[in-house]
Amino acid sequence: MTNTPNRAGVPTVRLILILGTLSAFGPLTTDLYLPALPTIAQEFVSPHVQQSMAIYFFGLALGQLFYGPLSDRVGRRRPLLFGCGLYTLASLGCALAPNMESLIALRLLQALGASVGMVTTLSVVRDLFDVRDSARVLSYLMLVMGVAPVLAPLLGGQILLYGDWRMVFGILVVYGLVCIGLVAFALPESLPPSRRTKTPLSAVLPDYLRLLADLRFQRFALPQSLMGAGFFAYLSGASLVFIGVYGVSAQNFGFVFGLNAFGLIAAAQLNTWLLGRYTGTQILTRSMAVMAVASVLLVGAASTGLGGMWVVWGLLFVCVAGSGLVRPNALAAVLAPYPERAGLASSLLGALGTGVGALAGAVLGLFPLNSALPLAIVIAAAYVMAVVIFWGIRWVYPAGSELE
C-alpha cells in the first residue's frame, strides 16, 4: 500500500485505516451478530429472527438517503459524529432488549446510525481522489473492511462460549465509541465550505429522480446493487444454512465464513494490480460474468446435493470473493461523473444497493432454510439479472466513454 497523493495532505495509509474503520460499521454489525441468530431465536421463541437482519438492511438504505445530501451541504464530519452517536446508543439498547419486537426496532435505529459510515466515507474518497485512484483506494478500503468479516464471526462464536448474545452488542457499543473518537480527533474535513452545495434539502427528491434517470448512473449502479443483493442474501442466510442445515458449530462457522471473507480481501487486492493493466469496466464485466456462472452452478449443486456442503461452500466462495473485484470498480465508475454531488450519488447508490439487499433478505426469510436451495436461488436471480441489465444498458450507453 503506497501513500497515494490526496487533496487533504493526510497520509493515505492513515486515512484508509480511519475510513476503513468507519466503513466497517455495516459488515461488523451484521457479521458479529450472525452466529447468535439461532440463539436469539431460541431465547425469544420467535421464528422471525431473520427479520432483524432485513430491518437492519432497510435502515441502512433509508439512512444513506439522508446523510449524503446533508454531507454535501454541511461537510462530512458533522453527519459522521451524529451517526456514530446514534449507532452507539442503539447498540446499547439492543443489548438490553427484552423481546424480539424491541430488538427489531432498535436494529432499525442501529442501522440508521451505521449508514453514515457507509455513505460518507465514499464521499470522502471522491473528494480527495480521481477515478482511477478512487478505485485503488476503495480496494484498499475493502482490505481494511475485510478484517471485520474474517474476525467478527470468529469473535461472535467465541462470545457465545463465554457469554450470551447481549455481549455482542456490548462490544458494538465500544466500537461505536472508538469511531466517535476517530472522527472527532483524527479525520480532517474533506469538503471545504467553498465546495459545498447551496442546493436546499427540499430539492433532494428531484435531484435523486434526475440522477436515477441518468444512464451514466444506471449503467453501473443497478448491476452493482443487484450484485450487492446477492451478497446481502448470503449474509442473511449463511449462518442458518451452515449451522442449521449442515450442522456446523457456531465456532466453526466463523472459520467457514472467514475463509469466504478472505477470498473477498484477496480479490480486492488483486484488483489494485489489475487496474495497472486493464480498465475498471473490463475487470467489472468479466468478474460479474464469472460470479453469475458460479451462482447458476450453485443452484444445481443445492438442488441435487452433489458434493454436499463442500461444493456449496466452494461456489459460495466464488460468489462472495468476486465482490472484491466488482464493488471498487463499480463504485468508482458511478461516482466519477458527479464530483460536486458525491454525497448525493453515494447516498442513492448505497440506498439502492442496501434496499435491494433488504428485499433479497426479506424474500429469503419467506422460505424455511431446510436446504441451501432458497439461498442459492436468490443469489443466482440477483447475479444473472445484474449481468443482463449491465449489458442491456451498455447497448444504449456504449463502450468508449470516459468511464471505460
Side-chain angles (χ1 to χ4, degrees):
M1 187 185 302
T2 59
N3 261 349
T4 306
N6 66 76
R7 301 183 188 107
V10 178
T12 300
V13 173
R14 192 186 84 183
L15 183 66
I16 287 172
L17 290 173
I18 294 171
L19 295 180
T21 302
L22 295 170
S23 300
F25 267 127
L28 181 65
T29 308
T30 53
D31 299 347
L32 192 67
Y33 174 70
L34 285 176
L37 284 176
T39 304
I40 296 171
Q42 290 176 1
E43 178 173 328
F44 289 144
V45 194
S46 172
H48 304 299
V49 65
Q50 274 187 274
Q51 299 307 315
S52 67
M53 291 290 289
I55 197 68
Y56 181 82
F57 294 147
F58 173 76
L60 287 180
L62 187 63
Q64 287 176 90
L65 288 173
F66 168 74
Y67 289 117
L70 181 66
S71 70
D72 280 340
R73 191 173 176 81
V74 304
R76 313 305 185 194
R77 279 168 43 88
R78 281 188 282 176
L80 277 167
L81 286 171
F82 173 82
C84 291
L86 177 60
Y87 173 88
T88 303
L89 292 174
S91 297
L92 179 61
C94 288
L96 303 174
N99 51 52
M100 181 60 72
E101 291 74 20
S102 58
L103 178 62
I104 290 174
L106 287 162
R107 285 282 284 174
L108 175 62
L109 290 177
Q110 189 185 42
L112 291 174
S115 59
V116 71
M118 301 176 66
V119 65
T120 309
T121 51
L122 291 180
S123 302
V124 171
V125 172
R126 185 62 188 91
D127 290 341
L128 302 180
F129 301 95
D130 62 24
V131 60
R132 186 173 288 268
D133 283 337
S134 290
R136 289 194 174 96
V137 170
L138 288 168
S139 294
Y140 289 133
L141 276 182
M142 293 194 74
L143 171 61
V144 179
M145 290 170 60
V147 174
V150 171
L151 296 182
L154 294 172
L155 179 59
Q158 295 304 310
I159 290 172
L160 296 180
L161 285 177
Y162 302 102
D164 62 11
W165 62 269
R166 297 178 188 275
M167 191 179 296
V168 170
F169 290 104
I171 291 174
L172 294 177
V173 171
V174 175
Y175 178 73
L177 292 172
V178 169
C179 289
I180 291 173
L182 287 175
V183 175
F185 302 110
L187 182 67
E189 176 58 65
S190 64
L191 188 67
S194 60
R195 292 174 51 202
R196 295 174 190 173
T197 181
K198 302 299 190 291
T199 304
L201 291 178
S202 59
V204 166
L205 181 57
D207 284 348
Y208 275 138
L209 294 176
R210 279 192 292 270
L211 187 59
L212 193 58
D214 189 339
L215 283 175
R216 295 176 301 171
F217 183 83
Q218 293 176 17
R219 183 183 177 191
F220 296 97
L222 297 181
Q224 154 63 20
S225 298
L226 285 164
M227 300 301 282
F231 186 75
F232 277 126
Y234 165 76
L235 290 178
S236 297
S239 64
L240 297 175
V241 167
F242 282 104
I243 296 174
V245 175
Y246 293 117
V248 177
S249 69
Q251 289 71 44
N252 288 335
F253 167 73
F255 290 100
V256 173
F257 193 85
L259 285 172
N260 286 354
F262 176 78
L264 188 151
I265 296 171
Q269 301 324 295
L270 174 64
N271 186 58
T272 64
W273 180 81
L274 291 174
L275 281 167
R277 292 156 178 80
Y278 305 97
T279 67
T281 302
Q282 289 172 329
I283 299 169
L284 176 68
T285 303
R286 289 158 178 76
S287 301
M288 288 172 57
V290 171
M291 293 169 70
V293 170
S295 69
V296 173
L297 293 175
L298 178 63
V299 173
S303 60
T304 63
L306 184 63
M309 184 191 81
W310 294 109
V311 171
V312 169
W313 171 79
L315 291 168
L316 280 173
F317 180 89
V318 176
C319 291
V320 172
S323 296
L325 296 169
V326 169
R327 183 173 170 79
N329 295 302
L331 291 177
V334 170
L335 297 178
Y338 312 106
E340 303 305 321
R341 302 304 306 270
L344 184 84
S346 298
S347 284
L348 186 55
L349 175 64
L352 280 173
T354 312
V356 176
L359 178 61
V363 169
L364 186 63
L366 297 176
F367 300 94
L369 290 184
N370 48 19
S371 78
L373 186 57
L375 176 61
I377 290 174
V378 171
I379 292 174
Y383 285 5
V384 171
M385 286 175 60
V387 172
V388 170
I389 289 175
F390 180 80
W391 282 101
I393 293 179
R394 195 168 188 175
W395 282 103
V396 180
Y397 189 70
S401 72
E402 72 280 4
L403 301 181
E404 293 294 315

